[in-house]
Amino acid sequence: MDITDDLYKEHYHGALLYMYSLCGNYHLSEDIVSDSFYKALTSYNDTEERFKFWLFRVCKNAFVDYIRKNKRYAEPDENLSDKTDAADAVLLMEKYRALYHAIEMLGDEYREAVTLFYFNDMSINEIAVIMQKSDTAVKVTLYRARKKLKKLLEVNYEF
């Protein structure tokens, strides 16, 4: 196996989950991640930062470009069955379903921060760069997201 295959296997699902948390469309997420993976590989300079961090920055920029090009960007469907199928395929574990459904109910900013921090092991500093916020703002966002997530889980799900 070559390094490209290793990088793909290691980071594809995390990047797909991240993109899905941003756009709510599984097929669009796959397209963006595939295109971004190629762009990240060809433009990566290993002296700058970890490849995963670089890939996520490229994905976020590709998503922003997509929104700009398609000004009529629609919110995700209220029909959660497609989302559930996609999330189940990415997460593959039954115990994370309730948590992921609660994360889907969070606002865009909270969902993005939680996905990057908990599911993709990004540091506060890396998240700040991706979200274009200060470290303090990311910490506050994560705190508020956790608080809201706790409330959602207590109200909607019995653990």
Side-chain angles (χ1 to χ4, degrees):
M1 288 195 141
D2 70 350
I3 194 162
T4 305
D5 291 338
D6 292 341
L7 286 172
Y8 184 82
K9 287 178 181 177
E10 186 177 344
H11 301 297
Y12 177 77
H13 289 292
L16 183 63
L17 179 62
Y18 172 58
M19 273 297 89
Y20 186 73
S21 75
L22 292 178
C23 70
N25 181 317
Y26 185 74
H27 299 291
L28 176 60
S29 299
E30 286 180 319
D31 291 344
I32 290 173
V33 170
S34 295
D35 292 343
S36 297
F37 196 85
Y38 175 75
K39 289 177 188 174
L41 277 174
T42 58
S43 63
Y44 179 61
N45 179 354
D46 64 355
T47 59
E48 293 178 12
E49 61 254 331
R50 296 183 303 154
F51 179 76
K52 180 179 182 179
F53 175 65
W54 180 247
L55 173 63
F56 280 50
R57 286 180 62 188
V58 172
C59 285
K60 172 86 181 234
N61 290 338
F63 178 65
V64 170
D65 289 345
Y66 173 81
I67 290 173
R68 285 184 187 139
K69 287 178 185 173
N70 299 292
K71 292 185 183 204
R72 293 192 55 202
Y73 174 70
E75 290 296 317
D77 286 343
E78 294 300 316
N79 179 2
L80 293 178
S81 64
D82 182 39
K83 282 184 153 185
T84 303
D85 293 341
D88 292 345
V90 173
L91 295 174
L92 297 175
M93 289 189 218
E94 183 71 32
K95 66 182 183 177
Y96 290 117
R97 282 188 189 180
L99 176 62
Y100 192 73
H101 288 299
I103 291 170
E104 285 180 328
M105 291 183 214
L106 295 174
D108 293 342
E109 180 179 59
Y110 293 158
R111 187 173 53 244
E112 180 179 8
V114 166
T115 302
L116 289 172
F117 189 75
Y118 290 105
F119 291 97
N120 292 295
D121 300 320
M122 296 243 172
S123 70
I124 299 293
N125 187 271
E126 291 170 332
I127 296 169
V129 172
I130 290 172
M131 294 181 72
Q132 298 177 342
K133 292 180 167 240
S134 68
D135 289 0
T136 305
V138 170
K139 289 177 186 177
V140 169
T141 300
L142 282 169
Y143 171 77
R144 290 177 180 165
R146 282 190 293 266
K147 202 170 175 182
K148 189 166 187 149
L149 194 56
K150 180 181 177 188
K151 193 176 209 178
L152 284 169
L153 288 169
E154 287 173 348
V155 170
N156 294 321
Y157 304 101
E158 294 178 27
F159 284 106

